[in-house]
């Protein structure tokens, strides 16, 4: 698939693309049935990740020559949305891993990183990231941690704020200042891997939602191999597709969560309709309103993915208007998920409020709030506010 986008405009269950269908089936058969247990016990979704590995989805973005499938961002965005319908934690694992395979494909130009990309595909390695840092928070344009580049081997020590599925990953990508003398924004990105990597947990992950991501804090110490360092500055990687792909992949989770909430409300209203044949349940109108918002979210996600694809062909992903649109997508989809879950709750009433009902919105409602803070909406809006002051067009 390159220029087929209709899949993203309808329900994920109806999508026909290869990766969307595979993700939907994994969601239906594996991730969904385990999602409440994953949530209740704040445990890693082992079953879903094993199925993702077996299906080839973890390496789908990588080039065919490296053992991948050359899947497009639109396809993987659709797969993440489909999986998030069933289990947002599993979908986030796929999204976070995929943004690292995207970077490997696009920026992993050295022989060492190309060999690593092949190994990721051949061995189905799972990649986590330890970018945010205690003392800095979510602003990844700055680092306290520095690569000790004058020792042999080179080393790092980092207080990572949150590393999703850090304990279960085969590789951890992180960012640091280039050297102890480098400024806080002179950063590079590199892979760390056991046995040269040690991760000592510094917090537990007992969160409101997205509990299956197991995003504990860690004290990270590692010896860093020069072969596993990206050959360009972090800022170049972020501007040249890294930041854009991150937004697209993570935001697919929030749209999938909105789909899940809407589907529960839909099922509830249909059941009410079956009980009173010949009349339209009062909640049907609320559902129709909710469908309007859901369609806006779907369309926004697809049109942004499409714009990414077109701009990339023209070598213009750094287009300022597009960067602004990406941040707007983040704010829009994350708040859509919260709003849809809340509205679905008011449609389902007590059946949605109960945890033991097929219409329960418990997990979806809690998970949806994660989107608002996973990359601060305030930060996104402030960045756009500054840009708007300089731009002639909105
Ligand atoms: C489920 C989940 C999984 C995660 N997984 C990972 C992971 O795998 N790897 C990783 O590195 N990190 C991960 N994180 C961390 C995440 O990426 C962010 O770094 C983190 O959520 C931000 O934490 P914070 O809100 O304390 O900090 P900040 O983003 O620094 O925000 C602190 C406060 O300041 C406000 N604020 C920030 N900037 C501005 C501004 N410009 N204007 C006004 N207000 C502002 C925010 O709204 C917030 O209230 C995860 C987080 C979550 C929730």
């Amino acid at each position: 698939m390159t220029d087929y986008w209709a899949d993203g405009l309808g329900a994920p269950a109806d999508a026909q693309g290869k990766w969307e269908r595979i993700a939907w089936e994994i969601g239906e058969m594996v991730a969904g049935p385990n999602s409440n247990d994953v949530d209740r016990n704040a445990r890693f979704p082992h079953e879903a990740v094993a199925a993702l590995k077996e299906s080839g989805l973890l390496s789908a973005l990588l080039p065919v020559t490296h053992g991948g499938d050359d899947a497009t961002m639109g396809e993987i965005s659709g797969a993440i949305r489909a999986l998030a319908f069933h289990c947002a934690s599993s979908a986030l694992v796929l999204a976070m891993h995929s943004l690292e395979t995207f970077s490997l494909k696009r920026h992993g130009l050295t022989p060492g990183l190309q060999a690593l990309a092949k190994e990721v595909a051949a061995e189905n390695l799972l990649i986590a990231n330890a970018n945010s840092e205690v003392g800095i928070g979510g602003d990844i344009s700055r680092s306290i941690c520095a690569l000790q580049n004058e020792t042999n081997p080179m080393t790092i020590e980092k207080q990572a704020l949150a590393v999703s599925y850090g304990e279960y990953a085969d590789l951890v990508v992180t960012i640091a200042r280039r050297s102890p003398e480098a400024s806080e924004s002179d950063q590079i990105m590199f892979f760390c891997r056991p046995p040269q990597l040690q991760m000592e947990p510094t917090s537990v992950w007992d969160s409101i939602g997205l509990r299956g991501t197991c995003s504990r804090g860690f004290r990270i110490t590692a010896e860093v191999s020069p072969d596993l360092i990206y050959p360009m500055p972090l800022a170049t990687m972020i501007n040249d597709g890294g930041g854009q792909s991150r937004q697209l992949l993570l935001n697919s989770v929030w749209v999938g969560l909105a789909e899940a909430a809407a589907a529960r409300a839909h099922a509830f209203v249909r059941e009410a309709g079956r009980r009173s044949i010949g009349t339209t349940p009062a909640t049907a109108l609320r559902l129709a309103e909710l469908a309007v918002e859901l369609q806006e979210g779907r369309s926004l996600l697809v049109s942004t993915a499409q714009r990414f694809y077109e701009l990339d062909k023209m070598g213009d992903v750094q287009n300022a208007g597009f960067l602004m649109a990406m941040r707007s997508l983040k704010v829009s989809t994350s708040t859509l998920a919260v709003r849809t879950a809340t509205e679905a709750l008011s449609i389902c009433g007590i059946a949605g409020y109960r945890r033991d009902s097929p219409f329960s919105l418990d997990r979806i409602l809690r998970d949806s709030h994660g989107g608002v803070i996973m990359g601060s909406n305030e930060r996104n809006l402030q960045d756009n506010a500054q840009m708007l002051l300089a731009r002639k067009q909105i």
Side-chain angles (χ1 to χ4, degrees), residues 92 96 129-132 136-139 161-164 205 209-210 213 215 246 370 373-379 382-383:
L92 259 178
M96 287 192 267
N129 78 77
N131 294 338
S132 53
I136 286 197
D139 178 8
L161 180 65
V163 186
S164 293
W205 182 246
L210 300 174
T213 60
S215 310
R246 178 186 156 82
I373 56 156
M374 199 177 168
S376 156
N377 276 359
E378 283 303 310
R379 191 189 307 286
Q382 280 289 348
D383 288 348

Side-chain angles (χ1 to χ4, degrees), residues 12 84-86 255-265 294 340 344 361 363-364:
F85 183 99
H86 301 279
V255 176
L257 265 171
E259 301 272 6
R264 301 238 164 144
L294 184 64
T340 310
L361 284 146
R363 177 173 48 80
I364 295 171

Side-chain angles (χ1 to χ4, degrees), residues 4 9 86 104 110 136 144 151 157 204 223 239 284 301 348 368:
Y4 176 73
L9 296 172
H86 301 279
L104 257 181
T110 61
I136 286 197
I144 298 170
T151 57
E157 178 177 343
V204 293
E223 291 176 5
N239 292 333
L301 186 67
C348 297
S368 67

Side-chain angles (χ1 to χ4, degrees), residues 37-349:
D37 188 64
V38 163
D39 174 60
R40 200 164 296 125
N41 297 305
R43 71 160 177 88
F44 183 63
H46 290 285
E47 308 85 347
V49 174
L52 289 174
K53 286 186 175 186
E54 199 177 329
S55 71
L57 242 173
L58 288 189
S59 51
L61 273 175
L62 290 170
V64 173
T65 48
H66 289 15
D69 191 53
D70 257 326
T72 65
M73 290 297 280
E75 287 175 293
I76 300 304
S77 161
I80 292 167
R81 179 179 73 123
L83 193 57
F85 183 99
H86 301 279
C87 175
S89 290
S90 303
L92 259 178
V93 176
L94 176 60
M96 287 192 267
H97 168 89
S98 298
L99 61 95
E100 303 309 338
T101 52
F102 174 85
S103 287
L104 257 181
K105 176 179 180 171
R106 192 174 185 97
H107 298 120
L109 306 175
T110 61
L113 290 175
Q114 294 201 347
L116 184 70
K118 288 179 184 162
E119 194 185 338
V120 166
E123 306 294 329
N124 271 316
L125 302 182
L126 181 64
I127 314 173
N129 78 77
N131 294 338
S132 53
E133 192 169 6
V134 174
I136 286 197
D139 178 8
I140 60 163
S141 65
R142 296 185 294 131
S143 288
I144 298 170
C145 170
L147 178 69
Q148 301 297 323
N149 63 342
E150 282 173 1
T151 57
N152 188 10
M154 296 187 283
T155 60
I156 56 149
E157 178 177 343
K158 180 168 185 169
Q159 299 291 339
L161 180 65
V163 186
S164 293
Y165 56 95
E167 285 148 303
Y168 309 98
D170 302 294
L171 294 159
V172 174
V173 174
T174 193
I175 58 179
R177 288 183 291 130
R178 177 183 303 282
S179 69
E181 293 74 37
S183 70
E184 61 180 10
S185 60
D186 183 5
Q187 300 157 290
I188 50 171
M189 181 175 250
F190 47 87
F191 287 85
C192 302
R193 63 188 309 183
Q196 288 79 22
L197 164 70
Q198 291 87 38
M199 298 178 68
E200 179 194 323
T202 51
S203 63
V204 293
W205 182 246
D206 189 9
S207 56
I208 294 175
L210 300 174
R211 291 168 59 80
T213 60
C214 303
S215 310
R216 301 174 79 170
F218 289 92
R219 175 175 168 268
I220 292 181
T221 50
E223 291 176 5
V224 180
S225 161
D227 287 346
L228 301 184
I229 302 177
Y230 278 102
M232 64 285 288
L234 175 70
T236 306
M237 294 177 66
I238 290 180
N239 292 333
D240 177 36
Q244 297 85 337
S245 61
R246 178 186 156 82
Q247 295 283 29
L248 194 62
L249 296 172
L250 294 185
N251 291 330
S252 309
V253 178
W254 319 137
V255 176
L257 265 171
E259 301 272 6
R264 301 238 164 144
H266 186 199
F268 180 83
V269 171
R270 278 169 56 86
E271 192 170 287
R274 277 195 293 272
R275 281 198 305 268
S276 54
I277 292 176
T279 60
T280 304
T283 47
L285 193 59
R286 299 283 87 77
L287 180 68
E289 286 171 350
L290 197 150
V292 173
E293 287 199 70
L294 184 64
Q295 194 53 46
E296 286 170 0
R298 284 172 179 162
S299 303
L300 190 60
L301 186 67
V302 169
S303 65
T304 314
Q306 198 170 10
R307 200 167 162 198
F308 187 8
Y309 176 74
E310 296 298 338
L311 287 173
D312 202 17
K313 275 202 297 196
M314 295 187 282
D316 193 23
V317 290
Q318 304 193 23
N319 180 295
F322 182 54
L323 296 183
M324 217 175 98
M326 276 288 179
R327 295 193 200 106
S328 298
L329 174 75
K330 158 70 177 73
V331 176
S332 175
T333 55
S334 60
T335 52
L336 169 80
V338 175
R339 220 169 37 249
T340 310
T342 310
E343 285 163 14
L345 180 63
S346 70
I347 290 172
C348 297

Side-chain angles (χ1 to χ4, degrees), residues 13-27:
D14 291 339
Q16 293 305 310
K18 169 182 163 188
W19 292 114
E20 289 93 332
R21 286 248 46 89
I22 288 174
W24 179 263
E25 277 158 25
I26 292 174

